[in-house]
């Protein structure tokens, strides 16, 4: 964009020998029309007047564009073109003779994208005298360089400055802008009803920003974003090209220029800024964005309240926890005739215990890390509400030191119920031992042993194993009337809401029943077998005698079998004789 032209003029007049009177001026246009795509400024003139006596002198000058930006080590907004190259400073020489005027014209061009349209563009012309020769006849004698003696103060630079400003059309006296910010957070792959950001599930987040200006034209309008250092800026998106550009100044600070070089009055811009959320750790409870709008214009205090926007969303750990488990053995036999070697007997205890090994596995299917959870394992610990405790936990271990477990220890593991020595009661109990009994902690009135394990963090697709070694007192089972006792052990994993954890809707079940059975071998003791045989024989004899008496009472033993047989024989003979007579006739 061509900014304008510049003239350098030098004139010589007679004066005292070896003295120079130098006057200079630098003219520039008053303003640059900010509405034009190609901006022009007026002619800029640089004029030198020299007073000297019968000699020729040289003038060295440096013409610098946008010198204030250069002094701040910033890029100038305008440039010159010399020999096909763009430069910010022109260095030239002039030879001035007696009563001669020379002028040099320069065109300055405005760069295509100028952000600063507030501060003026300052041109500076700095000069110094070069070699000069005094004319005496035909001989030229070089004289030492002369210094200016006019318009120069000691300690100051021998230069002249002038400036060109950008035109500003204002409706108000103070050219005040009135910016207004509006915005909304949009989570990727999540519907609008989700009130939180699931760590690990949401890969990116979008800030939909709307900025409007109801005041005068706002120059150098910018929207600033402060955000968490764990986020990564991906890109800025706009539906159509609106002159919006974003620049990441720091890892947690983003600057977006809006409506370059100015934001017009009554205009509105909409754009989206997208961030990567895959590296969020979740240490903060809320993800917060502080959005601020600012321009180079004055903005009245009463209209600053809508220049700042705070957008936030809670951070939650969304997990899909599940539990699996098994027990070994899944069934076992108990009874008086079962080999003692099949059981475990503790020192100084007469009870026979059945060993049981439970293995449970808690698995986190994600998408977030499970920061902590509780595992409750319930064992049906009594056959009846007032009965003795059955289980005696020996050892618990959580794999990879992922937690610890606690429970109420059974201080009397060996309890042998008192036997009734009545042989008839023993025989009755043997014959009535039938059916199935189910012990389940979910049934009301059931006494249970609860083991609680506090589990530590589980990453996505990570599992934790819990091993429990316990003993079951079979002496208590022997006194029960059921032939099969089914134990339903339940393990339930629960997340800690204080750690901002939620379960995935319709996810895996968080409860797992582990079932094993105790089977009575239904073989009585030896003396019981003898008593059963003796009683059976006695009962059989009594029944036989009873039947014999009944048959005798009914006359079974008093019937005349011989007479009955003779009568039956005579009847058959008569029937045969009658058949012969009929055939002969």
């Amino acid at each position: 964009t061509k900014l304008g032209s510049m003239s350098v003029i030098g004139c010589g007049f007679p004066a005292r020998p070896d003295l120079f009177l130098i006057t200079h001026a630098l003219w520039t246009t008053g303003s640059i029309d900010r509405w034009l795509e190609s901006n022009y400024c007026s002619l800029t003139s640089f004029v030198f007047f020299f007073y000297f006596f019968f000699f020729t002198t040289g003038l060295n000058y440096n013409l610098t564009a946008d010198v204030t930006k250069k002094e701040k080590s910033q890029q100038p907004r305008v440039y010159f073109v010399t020999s096909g190259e763009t430069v910010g400073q022109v260095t030239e020489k002039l030879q001035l003779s007696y009563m001669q005027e020379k002028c040099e014209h320069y065109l300055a061009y405005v760069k295509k994208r100028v952000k600063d349209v507030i501060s003026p563009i300052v041109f500076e012309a700095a000069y110094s005298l070069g070699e000069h020769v005094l004319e005496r006849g035909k001989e030229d004698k070089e004289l030492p360089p002369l210094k200016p003696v006019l318009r120069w103060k000691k300690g100051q630079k021998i230069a002249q400055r002038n400036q060109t400003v950008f035109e500003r059309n204002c409706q108000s006296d103070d050219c005040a802008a009135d910016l207004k910010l509006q915005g909304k957070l949009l989570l990727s792959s999540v519907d609008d009803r989700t009130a939180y950001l699931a760590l690990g599930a949401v890969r990116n987040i979008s800030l939909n920003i709307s900025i409007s200006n109801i005041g005068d034209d706002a120059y150098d309008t910018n929207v600033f974003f402060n955000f968490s250092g764990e986020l990564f800026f991906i890109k800025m998106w706009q539906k159509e090209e609106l002159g919006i550009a974003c620049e990441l100044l720091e890892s947690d600070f983003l600057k977006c220029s809006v409506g370059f070089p100015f934001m017009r009055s009554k205009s509105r811009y909409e754009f989206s800024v997208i961030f990567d959320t895959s590296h969020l750790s979740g240490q903060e409870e809320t993800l917060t964005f502080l959005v601020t709008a600012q321009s180079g214009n004055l903005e009245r205090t009463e209209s600053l309240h809508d220049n700042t926007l705070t957008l936030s969303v809670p951070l939650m750990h969304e997990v899909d926890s599940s539990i699996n488990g098994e027990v070994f053995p899944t069934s076992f036999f108990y009874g008086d005739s079962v080999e003692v070697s099949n059981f475990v007997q503790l020192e100084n205890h007469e009870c026979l215990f059945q060993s049981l090994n439970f293995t449970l596995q808690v698995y986190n299917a994600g998408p977030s890390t499970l920061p902590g959870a509780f595992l409750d394992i319930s064992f049906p610990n009594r056959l009846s509400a007032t009965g003795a405790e059955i289980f005696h936990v020996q050892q618990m271990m959580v794999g990879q030191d992922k937690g610890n477990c606690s429970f109420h220890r059974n201080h009397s593991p060996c309890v042998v119920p008192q036997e009734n020595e009545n042989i008839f009661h023993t025989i009755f109990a043997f014959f009535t031992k039938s059916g199935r009994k189910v012990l389940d902690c979910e049934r009301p009135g059931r006494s249970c042993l609860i083991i609680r394990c506090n589990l530590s963090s589980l990453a996505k697709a990570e599992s934790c194993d819990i091993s429990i070694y316990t003993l079951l007192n079979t002496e208590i089972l022997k006194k029960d009337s059921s032939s099969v006792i089914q134990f339903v052990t339940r393990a339930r994993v629960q997340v800690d809401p204080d750690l901002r954890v939620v379960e995935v809707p319709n996810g895996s079940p968080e409860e797992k029943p582990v079932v094993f059975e105790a089977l009575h071998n239904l073989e009585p003791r030896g003396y019981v077998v003898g008593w059963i045989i003796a009683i059976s024989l006695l009962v059989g004899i009594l029944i036989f005698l009873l039947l014999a008496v009944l048959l005798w009472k009914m006359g079974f033993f008093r019937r005349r079998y011989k007479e009955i047989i003779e009568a039956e024989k005579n009847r058959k003979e008569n029937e045969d004789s009658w058949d012969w007579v009929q055939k002969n006739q």
Side-chain angles (χ1 to χ4, degrees):
T1 301
K2 185 167 68 174
L3 174 62
S5 61
M6 180 180 299
S7 298
V8 179
I9 304 173
C11 302
F13 297 94
R16 294 177 55 190
D18 299 337
L19 293 178
F20 289 85
L21 175 62
I22 302 175
T23 63
H24 54 277
L26 177 62
W27 291 281
T28 59
T29 56
S31 64
I32 302 173
D33 187 356
R34 45 104 195 212
W35 295 93
L36 297 177
E37 182 69 22
S38 298
N39 298 320
Y40 290 88
C41 75
S42 302
L43 178 67
T44 302
S45 300
F46 186 58
V47 183
F48 291 87
F49 295 92
F50 292 88
Y51 298 86
F52 52 91
F53 182 72
F54 295 115
F55 60 85
T56 300
T57 185
L59 177 66
N60 302 325
Y61 64 90
N62 293 326
L63 181 60
T64 306
D66 208 3
V67 66
T68 54
K69 291 290 184 181
K70 185 176 181 182
E71 290 173 348
K72 297 177 181 178
S73 299
Q74 299 176 1
Q75 291 295 326
R77 293 166 289 178
V78 295
Y79 60 91
F80 301 110
V81 177
T82 60
S83 302
E85 296 182 358
T86 60
V87 294
Q89 186 181 67
V90 176
T91 301
E92 294 290 348
K93 295 180 180 181
L94 286 177
Q95 289 293 328
L96 295 177
S97 301
Y98 174 68
M99 294 300 293
Q100 182 184 10
E101 178 181 304
K102 285 190 178 181
C103 298
E104 293 289 340
H105 299 271
Y106 296 93
L107 292 178
Y109 298 85
V110 180
K111 289 185 177 179
K112 200 167 186 179
R113 291 188 61 86
V114 175
K115 296 183 178 180
D116 182 9
V117 293
I118 304 299
S119 60
I121 298 176
V122 179
F123 293 90
E124 180 186 80
Y127 63 91
S128 63
L129 294 179
E131 296 180 351
H132 53 276
V133 180
L134 180 63
E135 295 185 1
R136 293 178 180 176
K138 295 183 180 180
E139 296 182 357
D140 293 339
K141 181 179 181 182
E142 291 187 1
L143 297 177
L146 300 179
K147 294 183 179 180
V149 296
L150 186 64
R151 292 191 179 183
W152 173 75
K153 294 181 180 180
K154 189 175 181 180
Q156 293 184 353
K157 189 175 183 180
I158 307 175
Q160 177 69 14
R161 291 188 178 189
N162 209 333
Q163 66 184 26
T164 297
V165 297
F166 288 87
E167 179 184 353
R168 303 178 66 181
N169 297 329
C170 300
Q171 300 175 1
S172 59
D173 296 336
D174 54 2
C175 295
D178 188 0
L179 302 178
K180 181 179 180 180
L181 271 178
Q182 292 178 314
K184 182 181 179 182
L185 289 175
L186 180 63
L187 308 180
S188 65
S189 305
V190 179
D191 56 49
D192 295 336
R193 293 174 294 177
T194 304
Y196 58 85
L197 187 152
L199 297 168
V202 179
R203 308 302 299 179
N204 54 67
I205 186 171
S206 175
L207 276 69
N208 297 341
I209 300 298
S210 172
I211 180 172
S212 57
N213 177 27
I214 59 177
D216 280 313
D217 296 340
Y219 293 87
D220 194 22
T221 304
N222 295 287
V223 180
F224 301 95
F225 297 85
N226 288 87
F227 50 90
S228 170
E230 296 178 344
L231 294 177
F232 291 91
F233 171 65
I234 299 178
K235 66 177 181 178
M236 182 277 299
W237 179 85
Q238 49 187 335
K239 190 174 183 180
E240 56 185 20
E241 183 62 36
L242 299 174
I244 301 174
C246 294
E247 178 184 6
L248 191 65
L249 302 182
E250 296 181 11
S251 61
D252 58 352
F253 188 70
L254 179 69
K255 173 186 175 182
C256 294
S257 62
V258 180
F260 173 82
F262 63 93
M263 185 176 180
R264 296 183 181 182
S265 177
K266 306 298 188 296
S267 63
R268 179 187 180 94
Y269 292 83
E270 294 182 351
F271 63 99
S272 299
V273 181
I274 304 173
F275 295 92
D276 180 13
T277 60
S278 60
H279 294 84
L280 287 174
S281 63
Q283 295 181 355
E284 299 292 334
E285 295 184 3
T286 306
L287 179 63
T288 303
F289 295 87
L290 179 61
V291 188
T292 306
Q294 185 179 352
S295 71
N297 293 53
L298 171 70
E299 192 162 355
R300 298 184 183 96
T301 305
E302 59 270 18
S303 62
L304 290 175
H305 64 280
D306 51 9
N307 284 30
T308 302
L309 181 65
T310 301
L311 300 175
S312 61
V313 59
L315 297 179
M316 301 292 289
H317 298 271
E318 192 175 64
V319 299
D320 185 8
S321 60
S322 61
I323 184 168
N324 290 307
E326 60 182 7
V327 60
F328 180 81
T330 56
S331 63
F332 64 90
F333 287 95
Y334 68 94
D336 293 324
S337 60
V338 180
E339 293 291 335
V340 177
S341 59
N342 294 338
F343 301 103
V344 176
Q345 192 167 10
L346 298 178
E347 187 178 357
N348 300 325
H349 291 84
E350 58 177 329
C351 299
L352 297 179
F353 295 92
Q354 172 64 45
S355 62
L356 296 168
N357 289 288
F358 291 86
T359 302
L360 304 172
Q361 184 183 72
V362 178
Y363 179 75
N364 175 30
S368 303
T369 297
L370 177 61
F374 301 111
L375 177 63
D376 291 331
I377 310 166
S378 56
F379 296 85
N381 202 27
R382 300 177 191 269
L383 294 180
S384 62
T386 58
E389 295 184 1
I390 302 174
F391 289 97
H392 178 50
V393 179
Q394 292 288 97
Q395 184 180 5
M396 293 182 300
M397 183 175 64
V398 180
Q400 302 175 355
D401 294 330
K402 287 288 186 178
N404 55 80
C405 301
S406 61
F407 66 100
H408 176 68
R409 185 172 295 276
N410 182 6
H411 297 287
S412 300
C414 181
V415 176
V416 181
Q418 296 295 324
E419 290 189 356
N420 192 336
E421 297 297 334
N422 191 333
I423 186 59
F424 296 104
H425 180 274
T426 303
I427 296 174
F428 177 79
F430 170 75
F431 283 106
T432 57
K433 190 178 286 293
S434 61
R436 176 187 296 268
K437 174 181 285 189
V438 178
L439 302 180
D440 191 347
C441 289
E442 284 198 343
R443 298 187 178 183
R446 184 66 61 189
S447 176
C448 294
L449 169 65
I450 305 297
I451 297 178
R452 164 157 286 201
C453 298
N454 296 322
L455 304 181
S456 58
S457 175
L458 287 178
K460 178 183 177 181
E462 187 178 6
S463 61
C464 175
D465 296 330
I466 299 95
S467 300
I468 301 175
Y469 175 69
T470 184
L471 300 178
L472 185 147
N473 188 355
T474 60
E475 302 296 334
I476 299 176
L477 304 183
K478 295 176 184 179
K479 307 306 175 185
D480 192 78
S481 60
S482 301
S483 60
V484 178
I485 303 177
Q486 186 180 77
F487 292 84
V488 180
T489 300
R490 296 187 179 273
R492 183 193 302 270
V493 59
Q494 299 178 353
V495 298
D496 188 356
D498 294 336
L499 298 177
R500 297 176 285 113
V501 185
V502 293
E503 287 282 353
V504 174
N506 303 321
S508 304
E510 296 90 35
E511 181 176 328
K512 173 67 177 179
V514 181
V515 181
F516 66 95
E517 292 181 342
L519 310 174
H520 197 281
N521 65 351
L522 299 179
E523 293 183 7
R525 299 178 182 178
Y527 73 91
V528 175
V529 174
W531 274 101
I532 291 175
I533 295 174
I535 294 174
S536 298
L537 290 174
L538 179 61
V539 171
I541 294 173
L542 292 175
I543 292 174
F544 176 76
L545 294 175
L546 179 62
L547 290 175
V549 172
L550 290 175
L551 292 175
W552 181 75
K553 289 292 186 180
M554 294 173 62
F556 180 79
F557 298 107
R558 296 195 299 270
R559 296 179 65 181
R560 299 175 181 179
Y561 291 100
K562 187 176 181 180
E563 295 176 356
I564 293 173
I565 295 172
E566 289 290 338
E568 183 68 21
K569 184 178 180 182
N570 293 333
R571 186 179 64 79
K572 288 184 177 182
E573 289 178 356
N574 292 334
E575 289 180 354
D576 294 339
S577 300
W578 180 251
D579 291 338
W580 185 81
V581 173
Q582 288 181 344
K583 290 178 181 180
N584 291 334
Q585 291 178 354

